[in-house]
Amino acid sequence: MDDLKKKTTDAPAEMSAEEVMQKFDKESNKREPDGFWGYVISAICILFACFQLYTGIFGVLDAHLQRTIHLCFGMALIYLLYPGRASWSRKSMHPVDLVFAVLSVFATMYIFFQYDELVLRAGMNTETDIMVGILGIVLVFEAARRTVGWPMITVALVFLAYAFAGPYMPGIMAHRGVGFDELVSHLYFTTEGIFGVPMGVSSTFIYLFILFGAYLEATGLGKFFIDTANALAGWAVGGPAKVAVLSSGLMGTVSGSSVANVAGTGSFTIPMMKKLGYRPAFAGAVEAAASTGGQLMPPVMGAAAFLMAEFVGVPYIDVVKAAVIPAVLYYTGIWIGVHFEAKKYGLKGTPREELPKFGELLREKGHLAIPLIIIVYLLVTGYTPMRAALYAIALTIICACLRKSTRITPTDFVNGLINGSKGVLGVLIACATAGIIIGVVTKTGVGLKLATALLDLAGGQLLPAMFFTMITSLILGMGVPTTANYVITSTIAAPALVQMNVPVLAAHMFAFYFGIVADVTPPVALAAYAGSGIAGANPMKTGVNAAKLAIAAFIVPYIFVLAPELLMINATAFTVLLSMVTAILGMWGLSLAMIGFCQHPLNALQRIVFFLGGLCLIIPGTMTDIAGVAVLALGFLWQKRNKGGALKVGSDD
């Protein structure tokens, strides 16, 4: 609580991108040793990458073995890269960390070398097996503590406690209880626990897509996106804010981390917005909201999107297609919001002569975007995500060599392997810990029990059930990574929504969305805190502004559950187009209500009118669309009678 109070007090000094990553992204606070241990860590990272590439090209191993080796590399690197205590040196290796790294290799490689015997024993594990299993589970918890923090561990421990406390639970939550040895065997020596579906996805699709992102970053694609956004939108009203929205949206096509996206693009865009005249809290909020949408933006969405494809049992491209319209609506809402915020305060764009020329950019660096286009084509034409990612990695390196200024050197190539391996660690250990939760769910049936309890609490009504699912996701999202948040809510809440005749993909997408939006939902909004750090603004005010800009993310999920055509489920081209046009018009109304300005400042009643009109248009249906157009027309004509124009930019309020 003290940390939270500290974060939400007066505005801090401005921070660099590196400082923001270390403070707000636990995964980035790594050890950077010099000398011998630096070479050892780099060598392990390269071996890890080579293993993943080899199995991606020539075929994965047996599921348990593939996942075991993946976790072995991951845990060893976590213990070498993340000190056990904050006070331990980031430049030298602590003996305790080294011991933990060796133990993690032993615990995972035990499965690899004893695999045939374990299979023959068919679950009749020996005392030695159980001791190794206990060690492995404890090491997963400790690695999660170092990498993703206590909230994730707390949730997993609660599920573990439930497994043992079953006979003492009241009513529907009671179960026969699980023996200690039985639970250890289930969690560690089967593919239903730590080595379950999340670890399977991490050891195949996710690693390769993160490696793809590492090579794209090495080519300078991020800078190309920012320059392109400047050329296209920097001159417009509120130009730098629109640059932030556009560049973060483009970065979101290859990045799945909100905080990393804020640090990467925000270090350029937030100072530009402040220079133009945007309030610091609003500047930080724009970047936070736009960067958070990166996990919703195809083709490379957050890691949870790959899990969704596995859980729902559909090709990844179906998840990508379902995400397109909601992502467009999300960014449209933010774009409109920053436009009218700029109009509200009379903020102009950057003079064209100070901006890069789009044609020159395209000639010089346009080839860097070719892999993104190709990976979409490969996914659409039926290639597996693994194969598509492999081709995209190769193409990224080839395309970068087309011009000397973007060419990847041998050092860059090796660094790409190292950065890819380091980049997967947070997702990897979150998947392992989520596997513990899934293991308890499959062993005790608690998922169905909680889904039934949710249905009872909602009185069998869909809207209350969605509301409780949203609240659960937002609360979990305050401290649990998006991947684990999705695993928990999809296990507990999605089945309840499916029982109410909601399409399976829509139910899972609902849980996915709110797990991501937690990054801009106060009081704990990590992306907003990162934005406020760069902007030198008050974190809580930044969070409130980010939540207002991201209003689409709080409304659109309800709409696509009620009308799945927004996810392109059982929809024709006409219904998709109609839903999209009316929803964009609705986002215009909602954004005006949030900002409080159209052609003139809006009073409280006018804001309510615009909000209701926008909401009617977002809700699919002929009658609601007609009502929405009528209400928005009324609001537009009414505000024309208002007096006053642009306001004076005040303090950070």
Side-chain angles (χ1 to χ4, degrees), residues 218-495:
T219 64
L221 185 67
K223 182 67 165 61
F224 171 66
F225 280 157
I226 292 171
D227 289 343
T228 300
N230 260 309
L232 293 175
W235 54 271
V237 172
K242 290 176 179 175
V243 168
V245 177
L246 189 56
S247 60
S248 294
L250 290 170
M251 281 295 291
T253 60
V254 295
S255 168
S257 169
S258 302
V259 175
N261 204 344
V262 170
T265 58
S267 57
F268 294 97
T269 59
I270 290 175
M272 288 167 54
M273 284 187 269
K274 289 178 66 178
K275 182 180 177 182
L276 181 67
Y278 277 97
R279 296 167 293 144
F282 192 85
V286 170
E287 186 57 55
S291 294
T292 297
Q295 294 187 71
L296 308 172
M297 178 62 75
V300 183
M301 301 163 66
F306 294 96
L307 287 176
M308 191 191 308
E310 291 296 306
F311 286 173
V312 176
V314 298
Y316 176 66
I317 189 62
D318 286 0
V319 176
V320 169
K321 286 192 295 185
V324 170
I325 294 177
V328 168
L329 293 178
Y330 181 87
Y331 277 102
T332 299
I334 300 173
W335 184 279
I336 295 169
V338 301
H339 175 78
F340 283 100
E341 174 81 3
K343 298 278 282 186
K344 182 178 180 179
Y345 291 109
L347 305 176
K348 306 296 183 185
T350 305
R352 285 182 184 269
E353 57 270 18
E354 297 179 18
L355 298 172
K357 300 292 185 289
F358 180 68
E360 292 178 10
L361 279 174
L362 212 54
R363 282 193 299 273
E364 286 294 318
K365 294 186 177 180
H367 58 285
L368 297 179
I370 293 174
L372 275 179
I373 299 167
I374 296 299
I375 199 170
V376 173
Y377 170 78
L378 293 174
L379 289 169
V380 168
T381 52
Y383 282 78
T384 65
M386 277 187 72
R387 190 60 55 180
L390 284 168
Y391 287 148
I393 290 168
L395 195 60
T396 299
I397 296 167
I398 293 168
C399 287
C401 294
L402 294 177
R403 283 193 175 273
K404 187 176 181 180
S405 59
T406 61
R407 196 165 295 159
I408 289 180
T409 65
T411 302
D412 293 331
F413 177 78
V414 172
N415 286 337
L417 297 177
I418 294 170
N419 293 333
S421 294
K422 290 180 178 180
V424 81
L425 298 179
V427 174
L428 178 152
I429 203 63
C431 286
T433 315
I436 293 174
I437 295 167
I438 291 178
V440 173
V441 169
T442 56
K443 196 69 177 172
T444 63
V446 67
L448 183 59
K449 296 174 191 292
L450 289 171
T452 304
L454 179 62
L455 282 171
D456 291 342
L457 184 63
Q461 300 298 310
L462 181 56
L463 282 175
M466 288 194 289
F467 176 76
F468 293 134
T469 302
M470 176 188 77
I471 296 300
T472 302
S473 293
L474 292 177
I475 291 172
L476 284 171
M478 290 180 183
V480 175
T482 305
T483 306
N485 189 344
Y486 166 70
V487 168
I488 297 166
T489 49
S490 64
T491 303
I492 296 168

